mmCIF file of all heavy atoms in Angstrom:
data_model
loop_
_atom_site.group_PDB
_atom_site.id
_atom_site.type_symbol
_atom_site.label_atom_id
_atom_site.label_comp_id
_atom_site.label_asym_id
_atom_site.label_seq_id
_atom_site.Cartn_x
_atom_site.Cartn_y
_atom_site.Cartn_z
ATOM 1 N N GLY A 53 16.268 22.181 -32.072
ATOM 2 C CA GLY A 53 17.346 23.127 -32.311
ATOM 3 C C GLY A 53 17.149 24.048 -33.494
ATOM 4 O O GLY A 53 17.949 24.967 -33.684
ATOM 5 N N ARG A 54 16.110 23.822 -34.281
ATOM 6 C CA ARG A 54 15.873 24.667 -35.456
ATOM 7 C C ARG A 54 14.709 25.612 -35.184
ATOM 8 O O ARG A 54 13.726 25.244 -34.526
ATOM 9 C CB ARG A 54 15.564 23.804 -36.688
ATOM 10 C CG ARG A 54 16.717 22.906 -37.122
ATOM 11 C CD ARG A 54 16.331 22.103 -38.366
ATOM 12 N NE ARG A 54 16.051 22.974 -39.501
ATOM 13 C CZ ARG A 54 16.980 23.438 -40.334
ATOM 14 N NH1 ARG A 54 18.265 23.099 -40.153
ATOM 15 N NH2 ARG A 54 16.664 24.220 -41.332
ATOM 16 N N TYR A 55 14.837 26.841 -35.727
ATOM 17 C CA TYR A 55 13.781 27.824 -35.536
ATOM 18 C C TYR A 55 12.510 27.361 -36.235
ATOM 19 O O TYR A 55 12.522 27.018 -37.416
ATOM 20 C CB TYR A 55 14.225 29.180 -36.092
ATOM 21 C CG TYR A 55 13.120 30.202 -36.165
ATOM 22 C CD1 TYR A 55 12.645 30.803 -35.003
ATOM 23 C CD2 TYR A 55 12.561 30.560 -37.392
ATOM 24 C CE1 TYR A 55 11.623 31.746 -35.068
ATOM 25 C CE2 TYR A 55 11.562 31.501 -37.457
ATOM 26 C CZ TYR A 55 11.084 32.092 -36.291
ATOM 27 O OH TYR A 55 10.068 33.013 -36.365
ATOM 28 N N SER A 56 11.405 27.346 -35.491
ATOM 29 C CA SER A 56 10.139 26.850 -36.055
ATOM 30 C C SER A 56 9.018 27.861 -35.991
ATOM 31 O O SER A 56 7.903 27.562 -36.428
ATOM 32 C CB SER A 56 9.705 25.563 -35.320
ATOM 33 O OG SER A 56 9.559 25.806 -33.927
ATOM 34 N N GLY A 57 9.256 29.050 -35.448
ATOM 35 C CA GLY A 57 8.203 30.066 -35.461
ATOM 36 C C GLY A 57 8.247 30.947 -34.230
ATOM 37 O O GLY A 57 8.977 30.692 -33.263
ATOM 38 N N THR A 58 7.450 32.000 -34.293
ATOM 39 C CA THR A 58 7.300 32.936 -33.185
ATOM 40 C C THR A 58 5.861 32.892 -32.704
ATOM 41 O O THR A 58 4.932 33.018 -33.517
ATOM 42 C CB THR A 58 7.675 34.366 -33.618
ATOM 43 O OG1 THR A 58 9.025 34.372 -34.098
ATOM 44 C CG2 THR A 58 7.555 35.329 -32.455
ATOM 45 N N SER A 59 5.669 32.708 -31.410
ATOM 46 C CA SER A 59 4.332 32.537 -30.851
ATOM 47 C C SER A 59 4.051 33.622 -29.823
ATOM 48 O O SER A 59 4.946 34.283 -29.308
ATOM 49 C CB SER A 59 4.198 31.165 -30.196
ATOM 50 O OG SER A 59 4.474 30.124 -31.120
ATOM 51 N N GLY A 60 2.739 33.750 -29.500
ATOM 52 C CA GLY A 60 2.305 34.665 -28.456
ATOM 53 C C GLY A 60 1.572 35.864 -29.015
ATOM 54 O O GLY A 60 1.587 36.111 -30.225
ATOM 55 N N PRO A 61 0.906 36.582 -28.121
ATOM 56 C CA PRO A 61 0.763 36.305 -26.685
ATOM 57 C C PRO A 61 -0.334 35.273 -26.408
ATOM 58 O O PRO A 61 -1.018 34.851 -27.330
ATOM 59 C CB PRO A 61 0.389 37.677 -26.123
ATOM 60 C CG PRO A 61 -0.376 38.326 -27.247
ATOM 61 C CD PRO A 61 0.283 37.861 -28.510
ATOM 62 N N GLY A 62 -0.473 34.886 -25.127
ATOM 63 C CA GLY A 62 -1.498 33.942 -24.739
ATOM 64 C C GLY A 62 -0.907 32.599 -24.338
ATOM 65 O O GLY A 62 0.232 32.486 -23.887
ATOM 66 N N LEU A 63 -1.726 31.543 -24.533
ATOM 67 C CA LEU A 63 -1.339 30.182 -24.134
ATOM 68 C C LEU A 63 -0.519 29.529 -25.241
ATOM 69 O O LEU A 63 -0.938 29.480 -26.392
ATOM 70 C CB LEU A 63 -2.594 29.355 -23.849
ATOM 71 C CG LEU A 63 -2.370 27.904 -23.416
ATOM 72 C CD1 LEU A 63 -1.656 27.853 -22.079
ATOM 73 C CD2 LEU A 63 -3.700 27.155 -23.367
ATOM 74 N N ILE A 64 0.638 28.993 -24.856
ATOM 75 C CA ILE A 64 1.526 28.308 -25.798
ATOM 76 C C ILE A 64 1.746 26.892 -25.281
ATOM 77 O O ILE A 64 2.055 26.689 -24.101
ATOM 78 C CB ILE A 64 2.881 29.045 -25.936
ATOM 79 C CG1 ILE A 64 2.664 30.529 -26.243
ATOM 80 C CG2 ILE A 64 3.729 28.391 -27.010
ATOM 81 C CD1 ILE A 64 1.970 30.811 -27.529
ATOM 82 N N ILE A 65 1.580 25.916 -26.163
ATOM 83 C CA ILE A 65 1.811 24.519 -25.805
ATOM 84 C C ILE A 65 3.026 24.010 -26.566
ATOM 85 O O ILE A 65 3.083 24.086 -27.794
ATOM 86 C CB ILE A 65 0.576 23.651 -26.120
ATOM 87 C CG1 ILE A 65 -0.629 24.137 -25.291
ATOM 88 C CG2 ILE A 65 0.856 22.180 -25.823
ATOM 89 C CD1 ILE A 65 -1.900 23.384 -25.589
ATOM 90 N N LEU A 66 4.002 23.497 -25.839
ATOM 91 C CA LEU A 66 5.244 22.993 -26.414
ATOM 92 C C LEU A 66 5.345 21.488 -26.194
ATOM 93 O O LEU A 66 4.731 20.934 -25.272
ATOM 94 C CB LEU A 66 6.448 23.683 -25.772
ATOM 95 C CG LEU A 66 6.513 25.215 -25.854
ATOM 96 C CD1 LEU A 66 7.688 25.727 -25.040
ATOM 97 C CD2 LEU A 66 6.600 25.684 -27.298
ATOM 98 N N ILE A 67 6.122 20.867 -27.044
ATOM 99 C CA ILE A 67 6.437 19.447 -26.851
ATOM 100 C C ILE A 67 7.692 19.365 -26.002
ATOM 101 O O ILE A 67 8.764 19.801 -26.430
ATOM 102 C CB ILE A 67 6.665 18.754 -28.212
ATOM 103 C CG1 ILE A 67 5.430 18.905 -29.103
ATOM 104 C CG2 ILE A 67 7.019 17.293 -28.011
ATOM 105 C CD1 ILE A 67 5.625 18.369 -30.499
ATOM 106 N N PRO A 68 7.577 18.816 -24.789
ATOM 107 C CA PRO A 68 8.755 18.778 -23.900
ATOM 108 C C PRO A 68 9.917 18.046 -24.547
ATOM 109 O O PRO A 68 9.742 17.107 -25.323
ATOM 110 C CB PRO A 68 8.229 18.041 -22.670
ATOM 111 C CG PRO A 68 6.750 18.265 -22.689
ATOM 112 C CD PRO A 68 6.362 18.282 -24.142
ATOM 113 N N ILE A 69 11.098 18.532 -24.255
ATOM 114 C CA ILE A 69 12.376 17.993 -24.725
ATOM 115 C C ILE A 69 12.579 18.297 -26.213
ATOM 116 O O ILE A 69 13.652 18.715 -26.642
ATOM 117 C CB ILE A 69 12.500 16.473 -24.475
ATOM 118 C CG1 ILE A 69 12.356 16.178 -22.975
ATOM 119 C CG2 ILE A 69 13.837 15.955 -25.007
ATOM 120 C CD1 ILE A 69 12.360 14.697 -22.641
ATOM 121 N N VAL A 70 11.551 18.178 -27.014
ATOM 122 C CA VAL A 70 11.667 18.402 -28.452
ATOM 123 C C VAL A 70 11.706 19.891 -28.770
ATOM 124 O O VAL A 70 12.450 20.329 -29.649
ATOM 125 C CB VAL A 70 10.514 17.700 -29.203
ATOM 126 C CG1 VAL A 70 10.580 18.008 -30.692
ATOM 127 C CG2 VAL A 70 10.552 16.205 -28.953
ATOM 128 N N GLN A 71 10.898 20.681 -28.064
ATOM 129 C CA GLN A 71 10.785 22.104 -28.345
ATOM 130 C C GLN A 71 11.243 22.923 -27.143
ATOM 131 O O GLN A 71 10.984 22.559 -25.988
ATOM 132 C CB GLN A 71 9.345 22.475 -28.705
ATOM 133 C CG GLN A 71 8.885 21.936 -30.055
ATOM 134 C CD GLN A 71 7.470 22.381 -30.389
ATOM 135 O OE1 GLN A 71 6.604 22.440 -29.516
ATOM 136 N NE2 GLN A 71 7.253 22.704 -31.658
#
Side-chain angles (χ1 to χ4, degrees):
R54 296 181 62 86
Y55 170 74
S56 58
T58 302
S59 302
L63 180 65
I64 308 297
I65 298 177
L66 303 174
I67 302 174
I69 301 176
V70 176
Q71 290 182 321

